[in-house]
Amino acid sequence: MWIRSIPAPGSWGLRVRSALIVTVAVAVGLGVCVLALIAFLYRSLTASADDVAANRVREIAGQLRFDRPAELDRSLLATDRNLTVVQIIGAEDRIVGTSTDGPGDPLTALRPEPGRIVRNAGPVAADTGLRLTVAGVDGSGGRYTVVVAMNHDSIEDTIKLVLSMVGIGVPFVIAIAAGSTYLLVGRSLSSVETIRRRVEAITSADLTERVPVPEQHDEIAALARTMNEMLARIQSSHEAQSRFVGDASHELRSPLASMAAALEVGLARPELFDDTLARTTLMPEVERMRLLIDDLLLLARADERGLPHLATDVDLDDVVAAEVARQRGRSDTVEIIVQLEPVRTQGDSGQLSRAVRNLLDNAARYAATTVTVRLTQDADTARIEITDDGPGIPAEDRVHVFDRFFRLQRDRGRASGGTGLGLAIVAEIIAAHHGAVHFTDHRGGGAMVVITLPASP
Ligand code: ADP
């Protein structure tokens, strides 16, 4: 029954999963280290036991070359906790020398050639827990076999002791690693959870809210900062959008009001509703509204997915010449001076014409007498300069004139003025063509706008 209440591993929280991964990783790592340590310890303990036994065997063999077993130095037959038995076996398997309390029978049937030492010569007759070193000796009193037995159990005891200490220490280390991972991940997640809850509470009605940034300089603080930057961008684009909709409604209202007034006059006094009223009042307002709606649609589309445009070869000099001719046809009060080099770029000739037209319209509208248009190429950059001798644009407004619905203070009441979208559209078109546009200082006063575009070779 209780098994059902344990959630599936897929739904375990990050802290449980992290703690489990650390547990497994530390357990495997420590397990491998412990195995290596035990193997190394066993090898070095048995090797040093075999060395002790071999030394004793050599000493006894050395004396047996000159003395009989009975004349051996007693210390050579002495035992201790590790070296437990010494036997000297003579002819016919007789024990001719032994340590105190040594067994009466030979410990091994092995009889190595004289001069040969056999280390770890198992197996021992009974399971006595002994590790034998056996040597053959050609002594003064005949041929002998010297056997020295080391206590193998004491090696095993040492290994068991180390294992039991490791057995206590390893789970302790694993528990500390898993516990601290659980706590650490929990602490980091608590700030993530705070951020998540704050983001959840943020609605489009109040985009001024920001997520809390933790004090540590870690990835979560970086995430919170990035999120705040994103919120700031959303806020400013939301504000720009609202402003755009508000301004657009405002701009649409005035032609609509003029049309409504004209229609009201027509309804109240049908005799006044003639083609003059339609031509002089209604049609211009309809036209103004149509242009405004076209501009608004273009900008809305540009906001949505960037301004879509063709990418064909465009002769910029032809585009500029056509727009100049068009401008000359509209009015002859302003003189237009033209200097054009043949320059080619990639893009949408319709849109580039539109940008040049908007700038020329403005220049001609504000010029006192003259507009100058220059088209040049410098390395791989095409440069269009349109200069007029009008009132110019104050330096502090030169950036803002590209904002939507922006008009200089002095032009706000002007009936002749446009909608304030002309330069915003120019900026969108030029940006979509990977170019730049800006107003700059002009020696003779007046305004000078410069467009740069990548030129085709
Ligand atoms: P509009 O449709 O009002 O002309 P624009 O976006 O084309 O809108 O221009 C924005 C404002 O920049 C204009 O209202 C005007 O105040 C100013 N402006 C643009 N071009 C010139 C210029 N050549 N000389 C002086 N002022 C200019």
Side-chain angles (χ1 to χ4, degrees):
M1 207 38 215
W2 61 272
I3 287 176
R4 252 191 245 159
S5 64
I6 297 178
S11 64
W12 288 353
L14 209 58
R15 55 193 328 202
V16 173
R17 267 185 283 160
S18 310
L20 266 178
I21 288 169
V22 168
T23 306
V24 172
V26 173
V28 170
L30 284 181
V32 170
C33 289
V34 166
L35 282 182
L37 172 80
I38 296 297
F40 175 76
L41 195 66
Y42 181 78
R43 272 166 166 269
S44 61
L45 284 176
T46 50
S48 73
D50 290 348
D51 284 350
V52 169
N55 281 344
R56 179 67 70 86
V57 162
R58 269 190 222 103
E59 283 177 51
I60 294 171
Q63 257 199 16
L64 281 178
R65 274 193 208 108
F66 309 104
D67 300 326
R68 296 184 167 272
E71 296 156 9
L72 271 187
D73 196 344
R74 293 313 299 164
S75 67
L76 290 179
L77 299 178
T79 58
D80 57 28
R81 210 174 73 79
N82 295 320
L83 195 157
T84 45
V85 182
V86 179
Q87 273 188 345
I88 301 167
I89 304 162
E92 292 160 14
D93 286 352
R94 257 186 318 109
I95 308 283
V96 292
T98 177
S99 52
T100 329
D101 300 335
D105 295 326
L107 278 174
T108 175
L110 205 68
R111 300 290 177 266
E113 289 297 302
R116 225 186 114 222
I117 297 181
V118 182
R119 296 157 84 102
N120 188 18
V124 181
D127 188 11
T128 49
L130 296 176
R131 187 177 172 87
L132 305 185
T133 299
V134 185
V137 182
D138 223 353
S140 60
R143 193 176 268 196
Y144 304 105
T145 299
V146 180
V147 182
V148 171
M150 299 301 290
N151 185 357
H152 193 258
D153 283 347
S154 72
I155 294 177
E156 281 179 4
D157 288 348
T158 310
I159 298 287
K160 277 183 199 151
L161 181 71
V162 172
L163 266 178
S164 60
M165 280 162 63
V166 166
I168 297 168
V170 165
F172 190 66
V173 171
I174 292 176
I176 288 182
S180 43
T181 305
Y182 188 80
L183 288 179
L184 214 74
V185 174
R187 251 185 62 189
S188 307
L189 284 183
S190 76
S191 39
V192 172
E193 178 58 16
T194 317
I195 293 172
R196 191 196 67 76
R197 255 187 271 120
R198 185 69 66 83
V199 171
E200 194 178 46
I202 293 174
T203 61
S204 60
D206 186 10
L207 285 168
T208 53
E209 282 273 353
R210 295 289 178 267
V211 300
V213 180
E215 271 172 26
Q216 301 90 323
H217 294 280
D218 56 10
E219 290 83 350
I220 293 173
L223 172 74
R225 271 194 297 275
T226 309
M227 218 168 235
N228 281 342
E229 284 161 15
M230 184 189 73
L231 283 170
R233 282 199 298 276
I234 293 176
Q235 182 190 359
S236 81
S237 93
H238 188 262
E239 283 167 4
Q241 206 68 33
S242 311
R243 224 173 16 244
F244 184 51
V245 172
D247 290 344
S249 317
H250 184 78
E251 292 294 331
L252 285 170
R253 199 181 270 164
S254 75
L256 209 59
S258 306
M259 286 192 284
L263 287 172
E264 271 166 25
V265 168
L267 283 177
R269 300 184 58 190
E271 73 278 12
L272 291 182
F273 195 84
D274 56 4
D275 63 337
T276 316
L277 183 72
R279 211 171 346 98
T280 57
T281 309
L282 285 175
M283 283 314 288
E285 293 300 350
V286 168
E287 180 60 10
R288 201 172 144 199
M289 215 161 156
R290 190 185 64 75
L291 289 177
L292 179 62
I293 290 171
D294 280 354
D295 287 355
L296 289 173
L297 275 176
L298 184 141
L299 287 172
R301 229 176 292 139
D303 284 349
E304 210 177 297
R305 51 193 128 90
L307 203 57
H309 65 84
L310 301 171
T312 52
D313 280 336
V314 179
D315 288 320
L316 269 182
D317 42 324
D318 290 349
V319 165
V320 177
E323 287 307 319
V324 168
R326 179 185 162 277
Q327 192 63 43
R328 280 180 178 147
R330 287 181 70 193
S331 98
D332 53 6
T333 52
V334 172
E335 189 195 353
I336 305 181
I337 301 170
V338 190
Q339 288 175 16
L340 303 180
E341 272 180 28
V343 179
R344 187 170 273 187
T345 189
Q346 276 268 312
D348 188 316
S349 68
Q351 288 184 9
L352 291 169
S353 301
R354 174 89 188 267
V356 174
R357 189 183 319 147
N358 286 4
L359 295 173
L360 265 180
D361 279 350
N362 282 353
R365 188 187 304 152
Y366 292 100
T369 60
T370 317
V371 172
T372 309
V373 183
R374 266 162 51 87
L375 169 63
T376 51
Q377 179 169 353
D378 178 13
D380 50 4
T381 303
R383 183 179 167 96
I384 305 173
E385 289 172 10
I386 301 177
T387 315
D388 65 66
D389 58 354
I393 299 176
E396 65 273 17
D397 289 324
R398 283 180 195 158
V399 176
H400 302 300
V401 287
F402 292 100
D403 293 348
R404 294 168 186 190
F405 298 110
F406 182 91
R407 266 174 279 182
L408 292 180
Q409 190 67 37
R410 62 167 193 247
D411 297 319
R412 295 216 173 125
R414 265 169 76 134
S416 62
T419 55
L421 292 178
L423 289 179
I425 288 173
V426 172
E428 291 287 354
I429 292 174
I430 300 303
H433 284 76
H434 312 292
V437 55
H438 66 278
F439 278 92
T440 166
D441 273 331
H442 172 43
R443 242 181 294 129
M448 174 168 171
V449 65
V450 179
I451 296 178
T452 48
L453 286 166
S456 302

